[in-house]
Amino acid sequence: MVRSAAVGLEPQTVALLRGGARAAVTVAVLALHLRGAAGAGRPGTMRASGASAGAGLPLEKAVHASLYRPAGMRELLERPRVRRTLAELRTEAAAAGLLRRFPPHRTRTARRALKQLRAGLPLPADRAGLSTDDLLLAVALYGDAALTVLAARFAEAAGLIGRGGVAEHGQSWGGGGGIGFTDDGAGWGGGGPH
């Protein structure tokens, strides 16, 4: 199995490259949930449910701190600490040659890395035999399709998929507007969140 570390990418960076801000935050929320630090709140919301066990990545820390009050995905993407950390993650990806800023899009290096990771970890049919790292990487690579298979109950209750959630296809990179990304091979589209 190809690991994201093999190409030097954390699952949240992989998710950012594949699906933008919403995808990266989804992976951070799932990582917190798997450690018992976040759970579903009122229908369609997430909440902190314990201490952020372990160091965690910067986006996980920002998400956990931002869930001081339950929030849905849209609200979470708008919280200042999450927005700042996402901007830093995009800056790091651009510095690593994975994103171009103007016009914004993935580089050939990023596309190659995503292809290599997908070849090493096809969309799983279930959770059997998957480590936590593999589960997070699968969600980073395949988004809602992987969430539906690997963490459906939590994802639906937290509003990440289903009636309470908004499909990640076409979500914006920012959280508030600007250029939006689609993962249908077409690349980038204009406008804010759909």
Side-chain angles (χ1 to χ4, degrees), residues 86-148:
L86 284 166
E88 291 167 6
L89 189 59
R90 283 190 294 270
T91 298
E92 290 170 9
L98 300 169
L99 287 177
R100 290 197 208 300
R101 290 237 180 226
F102 302 104
H105 66 288
R106 292 179 290 210
T107 64
R108 180 175 290 136
T109 302
R111 289 189 301 273
R112 224 177 293 130
L114 290 173
K115 184 177 180 180
Q116 178 185 358
L117 289 168
R118 282 186 180 120
L121 181 63
L123 179 62
D126 58 41
R127 286 179 77 155
L130 288 180
S131 69
T132 298
D133 290 341
D134 289 338
L135 192 145
L136 293 173
L137 182 57
V139 171
L141 287 168
Y142 300 105
D144 289 351
L147 270 175
T148 301

Side-chain angles (χ1 to χ4, degrees), residues 21-22 24-30 32 38-39 44-48 59-86 154 158-160 174-176:
R22 182 185 187 283
V25 170
T26 296
V27 170
V29 167
L30 183 59
L32 289 167
T45 67
M46 300 154 276
R47 62 176 174 72
L59 186 56
E60 290 171 28
K61 291 178 185 178
V63 166
H64 187 266
S66 296
L67 289 174
Y68 59 89
R69 191 177 64 224
M73 181 58 79
R74 277 191 189 181
E75 185 179 354
L76 186 57
L77 285 166
E78 291 295 328
R79 294 205 169 152
R81 187 164 176 185
V82 171
R83 288 175 64 91
R84 278 192 308 272
T85 306
L86 284 166
F154 167 69
L160 300 175

